[in-house]
Amino acid sequence: MKRSHVLHLLLVQVIFLLPLLCLSDDYVSSRATFYGSPDCKANPRGACGYGEFGRDINNGEVSGVSSRLWNNGTGCGACYQVRCKIPPHCNEEGVYVVATDYGGAGGDFIFSLEAYGRMARPGTEDQLYSFGVVDVEYKRVPCRYGGSNLVYKVHEKSYNPHYLAVLILYVGGVNDILAVEVWQEDCKEWRRMRRVFGAVHDLENPPRGTLSLRFLVYGSAGINWVQSPNALPADWTAGATYNSNILLT
């Protein structure tokens, strides 16, 4: 695909994302339900590609989100404050969740059982579960990852030096990763990685040696490339996690 076409697609994506990224005290009305998982957790095969990590992040308080919020994987890892609207059963604060999967079941959220119950007043969890689907209101909020800001993992299916896939694990603040590129030193150019699905980006025959990555970030500061020199060592291995040392706010 020509670079001009790629930039055009990114511009369209940014226009679509604009209303989703605006921080506001105003809540949006929607509906929410929960996974019927036998272990009370989220889907380990979630569409973001997180695997078991996607069930345990944020103490298991996670959610699948509608196609509008998921946005072809760009919305993976986004954070929301959600509260239900049944006064006798719902607390005022609601629940802080991380988007780890695709699916809304007629609304915008499918919570883990833990996250769904967090919206209830003490002692009313069973009553809230009995509704199955509830009216909610939500807003996007900054992600808080306790010191981790922009962290990625080399996907387990990667094979050095022939195939590299990167899974974006943590994106701090209110930011979305639109694209990832790898620096090709011998050609003096950036090579675009393909978004395979969710938060996974890949590249066949990546450059040899230490790799530099850059990320196209869209957030409160607008749209910008941020670069991580020496992002991956020459001996990068499948399953290893790396910190970009990039600070996103």
Side-chain angles (χ1 to χ4, degrees):
M1 182 180 294
K2 293 183 178 180
R3 196 169 186 85
S4 60
H5 292 167
V6 172
L7 291 174
H8 173 73
L9 290 174
L10 287 174
L11 179 59
V12 171
Q13 194 172 30
V14 167
I15 293 172
F16 181 84
L17 279 168
L18 184 59
L20 305 183
L21 280 173
C22 293
L23 276 177
S24 171
D25 290 331
D26 295 331
Y27 281 80
V28 178
S29 295
S30 186
R31 291 171 68 79
T33 184
F34 56 90
Y35 289 100
S37 171
D39 63 1
C40 303
K41 291 190 174 184
N43 180 12
R45 296 178 297 279
C48 287
Y50 293 137
E52 288 296 325
F53 171 83
R55 287 154 53 90
D56 298 326
I57 189 175
N58 193 39
N59 297 317
E61 295 177 6
V62 299
S63 181
V65 294
S66 64
S67 59
R68 184 175 66 89
L69 299 182
W70 188 68
N71 193 28
N72 196 35
T74 302
C76 290
C79 300
Y80 298 91
Q81 193 71 29
V82 188
R83 57 194 187 193
C84 58
K85 300 168 65 176
I86 308 174
H89 306 298
C90 301
N91 63 49
E92 294 181 1
E93 182 179 358
V95 63
Y96 164 84
V97 294
V98 178
T100 60
D101 195 8
Y102 166 76
D108 282 305
F109 299 94
I110 303 180
F111 290 135
S112 62
L113 201 65
E114 180 75 18
Y116 187 90
R118 185 71 69 182
M119 295 188 295
R121 292 185 184 276
T124 68
E125 291 86 356
D126 288 344
Q127 292 96 318
L128 196 62
Y129 291 134
S130 69
F131 288 108
V133 180
V134 294
D135 291 329
V136 299
E137 54 186 15
Y138 73 91
K139 63 180 179 179
R140 183 149 180 198
V141 295
C143 290
R144 309 182 300 269
Y145 290 125
S148 299
N149 199 272
L150 178 51
V151 178
Y152 40 85
K153 174 184 178 181
V154 176
H155 196 277
E156 285 81 357
K157 292 187 178 180
S158 299
Y159 181 61
N160 195 346
H162 303 294
Y163 175 73
L164 172 65
V166 173
L167 169 62
I168 309 297
L169 293 181
Y170 298 113
V171 181
V174 181
N175 297 286
D176 289 327
I177 304 298
L178 301 184
V180 183
E181 294 187 343
V182 180
W183 178 248
Q184 181 88 38
E185 177 62 28
D186 54 350
C187 298
K188 303 296 182 183
E189 68 176 12
W190 290 97
R191 292 177 60 189
R192 176 66 51 88
M193 301 185 79
R194 176 185 63 143
R195 185 185 292 272
V196 187
F197 64 93
V200 181
H201 303 253
D202 77 347
L203 183 67
E204 294 185 357
N205 300 313
R208 304 293 179 94
T210 302
L211 299 181
S212 294
L213 300 178
R214 69 174 184 174
F215 306 85
L216 188 59
V217 179
Y218 181 60
S220 56
I223 179 169
N224 297 285
W225 285 104
V226 294
Q227 185 175 337
S228 178
N230 306 319
L232 295 173
D235 60 348
W236 55 264
T237 57
T241 299
Y242 301 91
N243 194 324
S244 68
N245 295 315
I246 293 172
L247 179 62
L248 296 177
T249 58

